[in-house]
Amino acid sequence: MLLEDVLEEYLYHCQAKGFTKKTMINKRQELKQLKEYLIVKRGIVDLENITPHDLEAYMRLKQKDKLQPQSIVTMFKLIRAFFLGV
């Protein structure tokens, strides 16, 4: 299953659940960054090919970019919710 398709489906699901506009903007932005990282840096286009190692590498990249700890926690929760919901 293509990563891009699954991400769009997940965002549609979140919108249907009634998430606020601000929350949807944040989710869309973070998932877009994750998608770009996975496609460009890791060469992954299918959801099935994503490993925990890929996600850990993404988190380390965000830490190296000096993202605030609370922002990293929030980002991790969003990513975890996506993968648990898929």
Side-chain angles (χ1 to χ4, degrees), residues 11-37:
L11 289 169
Y12 177 78
H13 172 74
C14 290
Q15 191 171 11
K17 286 181 78 174
F19 284 97
T20 66
K21 183 177 180 178
K22 182 179 177 184
T23 299
M24 290 304 299
I25 289 169
N26 291 340
K27 284 180 178 291
R28 192 172 302 278
Q29 178 183 358
E30 187 55 51
L31 291 173
K32 179 182 175 186
Q33 290 176 17
L34 175 62
K35 177 184 80 172
E36 288 175 2
Y37 170 79

Side-chain angles (χ1 to χ4, degrees), residues 7-70:
L7 288 172
E8 283 303 315
E9 197 173 303
Y10 175 74
L11 289 169
Y12 177 78
H13 172 74
C14 290
Q15 191 171 11
K17 286 181 78 174
F19 284 97
T20 66
K21 183 177 180 178
K22 182 179 177 184
T23 299
M24 290 304 299
I25 289 169
N26 291 340
K27 284 180 178 291
R28 192 172 302 278
Q29 178 183 358
E30 187 55 51
L31 291 173
K32 179 182 175 186
Q33 290 176 17
L34 175 62
K35 177 184 80 172
E36 288 175 2
Y37 170 79
L38 290 170
I39 291 172
V40 174
K41 300 284 186 183
R42 308 293 276 193
I44 298 171
V45 294
D46 292 316
L47 180 69
E48 296 84 11
N49 295 334
I50 299 171
T51 67
H53 178 71
D54 296 315
L55 299 176
E56 289 168 7
Y58 181 68
M59 300 298 283
R60 282 193 306 276
L61 176 69
K62 291 295 187 171
Q63 290 171 329
K64 286 181 183 178
D65 288 345
K66 306 244 188 264
L67 202 63
Q68 293 294 319
Q70 185 57 43

